[in-house]
């Protein structure tokens, strides 16, 4: 264990990635007595006091400044477990303000924001089997189907109060397991003062929001997920922070966590402040936060929010100045993100690092040595925008915009992608996924099923926001539970059943994920049939005989005797048809097995015929095929 001078020195140089072991509060033994030490970085403050329940929030506990380091500290026996506390800071210039502890591990329930003295006991984890499998596996070659969750609005109790992780452990895990998802991704769980921000305006970078329960309860939740073979990912926001005066902004009265340039510091779009990502102390603080969540909660990965805001000086709506090269690159953000990923991968090689990023100017995934940022995955926002625009369109016009559905095949391997149908697409008047679909209710459900097959057929990992699995019609509301009563309706119930079946098929069929990041995973059968607006393609596993044929009909016209090119002679069996009655369609029986005929179709030497339902999709799998042996 490093001594205090080494720890603070490394913090100041941007190399202390476990700085929470030095800052914040710590219970210690000193001179045989049990007491607490509190430390806070505030280099330009004139004076700092520790205030709380234990001294009636008075100035009786002045802290001492370690001048060389800009750190204030105090040793005291007064606090007790459960007490609230803050720091009173006389800022540069003489203004006095109560400030939170940036390293607090727990806060009081909002709207209060005092930190809580809460000693969390060391946990004896029982997820060793999960961790061992994770070390031995390659997640790029494994299925990843993510269920995105806002923790406090997944389900509410009868009295309208949200579930905490104690209740979510009982219900959410079993639900996710039953539905066949591989991972849960939570929107930010860190402390935030306003629920309306959905957790993206943080104040506590080391604290689980008290709104969701206790740290111990979340540890138990993650452990139970792992015991049920479910991974856990959490959103994290290192680019900007809450502007509330009693939190991080201008902590010591000068630009401390934020940029000195007020235009760079102010985030106009989100009404927040941007971290100065080039400042070494800020790098220590943020990377320590990320590692803390991975270490302390055994998370399987982190989704970094708003990466574009960290990469480009002109991303925001306010004034901006070019960099020293005359461009819009935010070099501080660029190098911080590379450093973040390098440090995390050194400590946790199997941690999944995901970027929410919408531009194409910077390589996001891949090796840092090649100039990439080092993320494992990038949300494919282009695919999402084009796809939803297409499905919202009247089918009459789809033939003229078929490229919206096929353009992503041109760049699908440029990055390692996740295909997101996320919370951002079902709020602010955008309508739910179900409500976006064209036509009457029956047609909307048919197209939703079609959309989900298209997502599964397209290379890339998958993400679906909660409630979308059964076609909730109303937009998501952050302060209400999902519309679970929808499932009393036969169509919603059958939609949920369809999603469950599709998720199971995805996990069972290696062709849908074994070669996800290689062009070998896909062969387009026909992406030119814009007149009939039918897309057909093959997804391939590692073995020649392991492949699936997916056909998607984007019009309300049933395609009789539809011809599909196939690579080998033999029999092809339908394994999914979105129009079956059990899913909410009208078909009692699916298509019979199709026998390949020796007729050319584009690059293929054989073709089969089948019926493709109106606004429907079918998936076929070879049953008895003949693969020619290679000539020597």
């Amino acid at each position: 264990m490093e001594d205090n001078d080494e720890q603070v020195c490394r913090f100041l140089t941007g190399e202390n990635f476990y700085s929470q072991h030095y800052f914040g509060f710590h219970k210690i033994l000193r001179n045989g007595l049990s007491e607490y030490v509190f430390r806070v970085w505030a280099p330009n403050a004139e004076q700092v006091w520790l205030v709380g329940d234990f001294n009636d929030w008075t100035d009786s506990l002045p802290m001492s400044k370690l001048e060389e380091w800009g750190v204030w500290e105090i040793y005291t026996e007064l606090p007790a477990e459960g007490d609230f506390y803050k720091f009173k800071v006389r800022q540069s210039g003489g203004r006095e303000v109560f400030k939170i502890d940036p390293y607090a591990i727990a806060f009081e329930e909002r709207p209060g924001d005092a930190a809580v003295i809460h000693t969390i006991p060391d946990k004896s984890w029982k997820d060793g089997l999960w961790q061992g499998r994770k070390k031995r596996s390659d997640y790029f070659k494994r299925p990843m189907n993510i269920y995105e969750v806002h923790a406090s609005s997944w389900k509410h109790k009868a009295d309208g109060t949200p579930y905490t992780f104690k209740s979510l452990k009982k219900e959410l895990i079993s639900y996710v397991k039953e539905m066949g998802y591989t991972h849960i991704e939570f929107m930010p769980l860190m402390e935030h003062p306003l629920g309306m921000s959905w957790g993206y305006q943080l104040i506590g970078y080391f604290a689980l929001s008290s709104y969701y329960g206790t740290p111990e309860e979340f540890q138990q939740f993650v452990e139970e997920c792992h015991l049920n073979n479910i991974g856990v990912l959490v959103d994290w926001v290192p680019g900007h922070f809450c502007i509330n005066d009693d939190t991080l902004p201008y902590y010591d009265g000068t630009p401390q966590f934020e940029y000195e340039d007020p235009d760079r510091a102010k985030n106009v779009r989100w009404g927040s402040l941007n971290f100065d990502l080039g400042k070494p102390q800020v790098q220590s603080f943020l990377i320590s936060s990320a590692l803390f969540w991975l270490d302390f909660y055994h998370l399987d990965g982190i989704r970094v929010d708003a990466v574009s805001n960290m990469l480009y000086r002109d991303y925001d709506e306010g004034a901006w100045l070019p960099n020293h090269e005359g461009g819009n690159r935010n070099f501080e953000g660029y190098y911080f993100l590379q450093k973040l990923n390098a440090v995390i991968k050194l400590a946790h090689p199997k941690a999944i690092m995901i970027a929410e990023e919408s531009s194409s100017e910077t390589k996001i995934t891949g090796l840092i040595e090649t100039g990439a940022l080092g993320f494992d995955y990038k949300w494919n926002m282009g695919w999402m925008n084009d796809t939803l625009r297409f499905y919202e369109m009247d089918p009459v016009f789809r033939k003229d915009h078929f490229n919206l559905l096929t353009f992503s095949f041109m760049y699908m391997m440029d990055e390692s992608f996740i295909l997101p149908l996320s919370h951002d697409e079902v709020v602010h008047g955008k309508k739910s996924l179900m409500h976006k679909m064209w036509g009457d209710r029956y047609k909307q459900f048919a197209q939703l099923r079609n959309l989900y097959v298209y997502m599964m057929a397209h290379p890339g990992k998958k993400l679906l926001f909660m409630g979308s699995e059964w076609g909730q019609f109303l937009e998501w509301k952050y302060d209400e539970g999902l519309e679970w009563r929808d499932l009393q309706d036969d169509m919603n119930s059958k939609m949920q059943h369809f999603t469950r079946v599709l998720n199971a098929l995805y996990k069972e069929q290696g062709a849908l994920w074994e070669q996800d990041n290689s062009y070998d995973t896909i062969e387009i059968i026909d992406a030119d049939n814009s007149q009939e607006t039918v897309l057909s393609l093959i997804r391939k596993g590692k073995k020649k005989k392991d492949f699936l044929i997916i056909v998607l009909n984007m019009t309300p016209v049933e395609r009789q005797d539809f011809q599909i090119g196939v690579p080998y002679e033999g029999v092809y069996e339908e394994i999914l048809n979105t129009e079956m009655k059990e899913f909410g369609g009208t078909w009692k029986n699916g298509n019979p097995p199709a026998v390949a005929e020796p007729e050319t179709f584009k690059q293929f030497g054989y073709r089969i015929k089948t019926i493709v339902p109106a606004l429907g999709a079918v998936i076929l799998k070879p049953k008895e095929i003949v693969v020619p042996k290679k000539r020597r």
Side-chain angles (χ1 to χ4, degrees):
M1 185 74 176
E2 294 175 307
D3 65 29
N4 290 339
D5 285 355
E6 287 175 324
Q7 287 198 69
V8 71
C9 183
R10 295 185 70 222
F11 169 78
L12 295 173
T13 56
E15 297 298 322
N16 188 343
F17 308 130
Y18 299 92
S19 54
Q20 72 274 13
H21 296 317
Y22 178 76
F23 292 103
F25 84 87
H26 299 280
K27 196 170 187 176
I28 60 170
L29 276 175
R30 196 170 70 138
N31 300 324
L33 297 174
S34 176
E35 59 183 4
Y36 289 93
V37 59
F38 292 79
R39 295 190 185 96
V40 64
W41 174 59
N44 296 306
E46 297 178 2
Q47 179 61 54
V48 180
W49 295 266
L50 173 66
V51 296
D53 294 339
F54 39 83
N55 70 341
D56 296 324
W57 302 88
T58 65
D59 296 350
S60 63
L61 294 172
M63 302 175 74
S64 301
K65 187 177 184 181
L66 308 178
E67 289 290 347
E68 183 181 359
W69 313 121
V71 174
W72 298 80
E73 74 174 11
I74 187 172
Y75 294 85
T76 175
E77 302 171 29
L78 289 179
E81 194 77 8
D83 282 348
F84 294 171
Y85 75 96
K86 282 191 174 187
F87 297 119
K88 182 179 178 181
V89 181
R90 181 183 293 151
Q91 297 177 319
S92 175
R95 177 175 177 258
E96 294 185 356
V97 59
F98 289 96
K99 288 284 190 178
I100 66 165
D101 178 0
Y103 284 88
I105 58 172
F107 285 86
E108 65 176 318
E109 292 185 12
R110 58 184 190 232
D113 62 3
V116 180
I117 295 176
H118 180 52
T119 304
I120 305 170
D122 290 337
K123 179 172 173 56
S124 178
W125 288 85
K126 301 173 185 176
D127 61 349
L129 188 61
W130 169 269
Q131 299 295 351
R133 281 199 302 263
K134 191 165 71 171
K135 287 180 182 178
R136 295 189 298 271
S137 68
D138 181 351
Y139 48 78
F140 288 107
K141 298 177 182 177
R142 297 293 302 160
M144 184 182 294
N145 187 10
I146 303 167
Y147 187 60
E148 189 191 24
V149 174
H150 180 252
S152 60
S153 62
W154 183 71
K155 188 177 282 190
H156 280 195
K157 299 174 184 175
D159 63 1
T161 57
Y163 277 21
T164 63
F165 275 104
K166 190 173 183 179
S167 300
L168 290 171
K169 178 185 169 186
K170 295 177 183 176
E171 295 195 32
L172 176 58
I173 295 173
S174 60
Y175 180 78
V176 168
K177 185 176 182 180
E178 178 191 355
M179 290 299 297
Y181 292 99
T182 63
H183 292 73
I184 301 171
E185 180 180 318
F186 286 106
M187 293 161 68
L189 300 176
M190 301 82 186
E191 192 60 74
H192 54 283
L194 184 65
M196 193 180 295
S197 76
W198 312 338
Y200 292 98
Q201 296 271 2
L202 301 184
I203 62 172
Y205 277 77
F206 294 82
L208 177 80
S209 174
S210 58
Y211 202 64
Y212 303 137
T214 68
E216 294 93 327
E217 287 170 350
F218 185 50
Q219 284 182 322
Q220 293 161 11
F221 177 90
V222 174
E223 180 178 72
E224 190 66 22
C225 281
H226 290 170
L227 293 175
N228 283 276
N229 295 318
I230 298 168
V232 183
L233 314 168
V234 171
D235 288 5
W236 180 64
V237 191
H240 62 101
F241 56 94
C242 178
I243 203 169
N244 287 10
D245 187 45
D246 55 348
T247 60
L248 297 182
Y250 298 96
Y251 199 90
D252 63 6
T254 68
Q256 185 175 325
F257 289 95
E258 53 278 283
Y259 288 103
E260 287 193 26
D261 179 347
D263 286 334
R264 296 191 70 189
K266 189 175 183 181
N267 192 305
V268 177
R269 178 175 301 184
W270 295 314
S272 56
L273 289 169
N274 294 317
F275 279 110
D276 182 347
L277 298 173
K279 188 174 289 184
Q281 301 92 330
V282 171
Q283 294 177 2
S284 290
F285 173 75
L286 289 174
I287 295 175
S288 293
S289 167
L291 282 173
F292 170 79
W293 283 84
L294 290 168
D295 290 334
F296 190 75
Y297 292 110
H298 279 208
L299 295 182
D300 300 290
I302 289 173
R303 192 210 72 152
V304 179
D305 184 64
V307 168
S308 293
N309 181 61
M310 292 182 272
L311 285 178
Y312 306 109
R313 286 174 171 238
D314 60 347
Y315 180 77
D316 194 21
E317 298 167 359
W320 68 282
L321 291 173
N323 59 36
H324 65 278
E325 294 182 351
N328 68 343
R329 166 80 73 204
N330 179 4
F331 286 109
E332 296 95 331
Y334 178 86
Y335 291 119
F336 165 76
L337 290 167
Q338 286 189 323
K339 183 176 181 178
L340 168 73
N341 284 313
V343 171
I344 285 179
K345 286 299 183 180
L346 186 63
H348 296 279
K350 294 296 183 176
I352 301 170
M353 296 298 292
I354 303 168
E356 188 263 322
E357 206 277 331
S358 55
S359 76
S360 57
E361 298 173 39
T362 302
K363 188 75 165 69
I364 304 299
T365 62
L367 296 175
I368 292 170
E369 292 81 358
T370 66
L373 293 182
F375 284 97
D376 295 305
Y377 293 103
K378 172 184 176 179
W379 272 21
N380 193 336
M381 311 296 277
W383 173 88
M384 178 273 298
N385 282 310
D386 287 350
T387 297
L388 293 182
R389 185 180 161 200
F390 181 86
Y391 277 88
E392 288 180 273
M393 192 178 294
D394 188 314
V396 170
F397 305 109
R398 288 179 181 174
K399 64 180 183 296
D400 300 319
H401 300 276
F402 202 41
N403 64 307
L404 289 173
L405 212 60
T406 59
F407 177 65
S408 57
F409 294 130
M410 302 293 292
Y411 64 86
M412 61 186 172
M413 297 301 161
D414 288 358
E415 305 268 12
S416 293
F417 283 119
I418 290 176
L419 309 178
L421 295 175
S422 75
H423 66 277
D424 276 327
E425 310 318 313
V426 295
V427 289
H428 298 326
K430 294 180 182 178
K431 301 185 289 190
S432 67
L433 293 185
M434 170 67 175
H435 196 182
K436 291 179 195 288
M437 301 297 110
W438 167 86
D440 59 29
R441 193 163 185 262
Y442 173 82
K443 293 185 178 70
Q444 287 178 321
F445 274 113
Q447 288 169 101
L448 197 62
R449 297 191 296 270
N450 184 304
L451 167 62
Y452 292 171
V453 171
Y454 172 61
M455 179 170 72
M456 291 300 179
H458 196 292
K461 307 308 184 186
K462 327 298 177 185
L463 179 142
L464 187 67
F465 185 58
M466 62 183 195
S468 302
E469 70 271 21
W470 71 72
Q472 176 171 304
F473 186 80
L474 296 179
E475 279 192 343
W476 167 60
K477 298 182 179 68
Y478 76 92
D479 55 351
E480 296 181 15
L482 295 178
E483 301 287 326
W484 291 95
R485 60 180 177 271
D486 284 353
L487 295 175
Q488 298 171 18
D489 181 276
D490 187 56
M491 291 296 286
N492 288 113
S493 179
K494 287 180 176 179
M495 182 69 216
Q496 184 192 50
H497 169 63
F498 171 78
T499 305
R500 184 188 303 116
V501 170
L502 183 63
N503 288 349
L505 185 145
Y506 169 70
K507 285 204 291 189
E508 291 164 2
Q509 302 297 330
L512 294 174
W513 42 263
E514 279 183 345
Q515 304 189 94
D516 237 350
N517 56 351
S518 165
Y519 278 106
D520 292 337
T521 192
I522 188 169
E523 184 173 7
I524 304 297
I525 298 173
D526 192 358
D528 301 319
N529 189 355
S530 58
Q531 199 60 36
E532 291 182 298
T533 326
V534 179
L535 173 66
S536 52
L537 57 92
I538 299 175
R539 286 298 305 274
K540 300 177 179 180
K542 293 177 181 177
K543 298 177 180 178
K544 274 196 171 184
K545 290 187 177 183
D546 184 17
F547 62 91
L548 299 176
I549 294 170
I550 298 107
V551 187
L552 301 118
N553 181 5
M554 306 301 178
T555 69
V557 180
E558 184 174 277
R559 302 300 176 185
Q560 297 278 343
D561 292 328
F562 188 79
Q563 298 188 34
I564 307 159
V566 294
Y568 308 116
E569 66 173 306
V571 179
Y572 293 80
E573 183 178 41
E574 185 176 86
I575 62 170
L576 185 77
N577 186 319
T578 61
E579 193 56 23
M580 301 303 295
K581 288 195 74 172
E582 66 171 304
F583 302 142
T586 59
W587 285 29
K588 293 181 180 179
N589 300 302
N591 282 302
V595 179
E597 299 172 357
E599 297 180 41
T600 58
F601 185 98
K602 293 204 168 187
Q603 74 269 33
F604 301 99
Y606 301 89
R607 67 175 68 190
I608 59 173
K609 293 179 181 179
T610 193
I611 302 173
V612 187
L615 297 173
V618 295
I619 300 179
L620 301 103
K621 187 177 176 68
K623 186 179 181 183
E624 301 168 11
I625 60 170
V626 179
V627 179
K629 292 182 179 180
K630 285 185 178 180
R631 294 180 180 178
R632 292 186 178 181

